[in-house]
Each structure stands twice: as C-alpha cells, then as structure tokens.
Amino acid sequence: MHVGLVIVKGGPKGRMIALRDGETLVGRAKGCKLRLMASDVSRRHCLLTLTGDRLRVEDLGSVNGFVVNGVRRRDAAWLMPGDRLRIGPVEFLFVYDPDSHPPHPVSPESLDVTIPAPAVFSPQPQDLPWAEPLDSPTPPQLPALSEDLPLAEPED
C-alpha cells in the first residue's frame, strides 16, 4: 500500500513519508514523529491522523497554521488523495494508492527534514550598479514635517 506525503517543495523533492493508520505529530520538538526544522514551524505544530484514504490535519495552536490547496487554516481539515498540504516552508502531496508500493518509503520515525535558514544578502556597491554612493557616511537629514498640512477629506 502506498499511503503518505510526498515532498514537492521546501525539502528533498520526491521524498515519500509513509503514513500508517493512527496519529503523527508534526513540529520541531524532539518528540515529533515528523520534524520540520524551520523557524515558522512550531514545536508542536499539527497532528496528522490517517483513517483509511483520508488524512485529518489538526492545528495545535501554532502561530502560522497550515495551508491546504492554497487556503490557510488554523483549525482542522480533511485531505483527500491529491490534496496539497504546506506546513511552514515544506509542501507535501497526499498520496493514497492501496495497490502499489513506493520505491523507498521513509517512515516518520526516521525522518528529520532539516530546512536551513535563508542566506542573508548583504549587497556591496558593485552589486548595485544603479545605486549612487553617498558622499558622506551619515545619511542626509530629512526636512521636518509641518504640522499645518491639510488632511484629506474622505470621498463619498
């Protein structure tokens, strides 16, 4: 039986995470069966419950919730085969095919998807040919705003 989540974005593409009937805790904490090491994933982010060919996703009070087929959720949702689930930066495809076997399934107990922090871009003057260099190291002073400016009237 081929039941699980396939990573389509934000991690090792094509990696299959096999799911079994029952619950799978997702988050950054060590006790989670599926660990997603990203700053926008809570320690205990959501709970996946597989029942037959349906997958229930329940938010556990995370800050960012999860996304199902492009719609952000902060409650619970049922997924059908072919639905997409995004938790933090990782997007999964829910697959269910009772007659086939995945080539190399990874059980949640052995999976630790690590998402590296994004690189910080510190541009140098040569990286920005359109920018003019400042003549002095301190930024120019902006003129003070007048408090006598008229306020815009709302339009009908």
Side-chain angles (χ1 to χ4, degrees):
M1 183 166 13
H2 184 167
V3 179
L5 298 172
V6 176
I7 299 173
V8 294
K9 194 177 190 181
K13 271 187 183 173
R15 185 176 223 175
M16 167 74 176
I17 300 158
L19 297 175
R20 295 179 185 86
D21 279 339
E23 297 180 341
T24 301
L25 182 60
V26 180
R28 286 182 294 135
K30 283 191 178 184
C32 294
K33 286 186 180 177
L34 176 56
R35 294 180 68 204
L36 303 176
M37 304 307 289
S39 61
D40 50 352
V41 174
S42 297
R43 282 182 237 119
R44 292 175 35 94
H45 198 93
C46 63
L47 184 66
L48 306 177
T49 306
L50 181 65
T51 307
D53 67 344
R54 296 179 66 191
L55 180 65
R56 183 174 191 268
V57 184
E58 179 185 358
D59 185 69
L60 298 177
S62 70
V63 174
N64 298 310
F66 57 91
V67 177
V68 175
N69 297 328
V71 178
R72 182 165 303 279
R73 305 288 301 259
R74 287 192 169 87
D75 50 4
W78 284 98
L79 274 63
M80 299 298 291
D83 285 344
R84 288 183 178 248
L85 169 66
R86 184 166 51 86
I87 303 168
V90 183
E91 186 172 333
F92 302 96
L93 175 68
F94 176 49
V95 294
Y96 176 85
D97 186 354
D99 299 326
S100 69
H101 298 282
H104 302 291
V106 177
S107 70
E109 292 80 16
S110 65
L111 182 70
D112 186 357
V113 178
T114 302
I115 308 298
V120 176
F121 177 64
S122 299
Q124 300 299 314
Q126 66 271 17
D127 298 328
L128 307 171
W130 46 266
E132 295 180 22
L134 293 174
D135 293 333
S136 70
T138 58
Q141 294 291 353
L142 297 175
L145 291 176
S146 170
E147 295 183 22
D148 300 333
L149 294 174
L151 297 175
E153 295 294 324
E155 295 181 22
D156 292 329

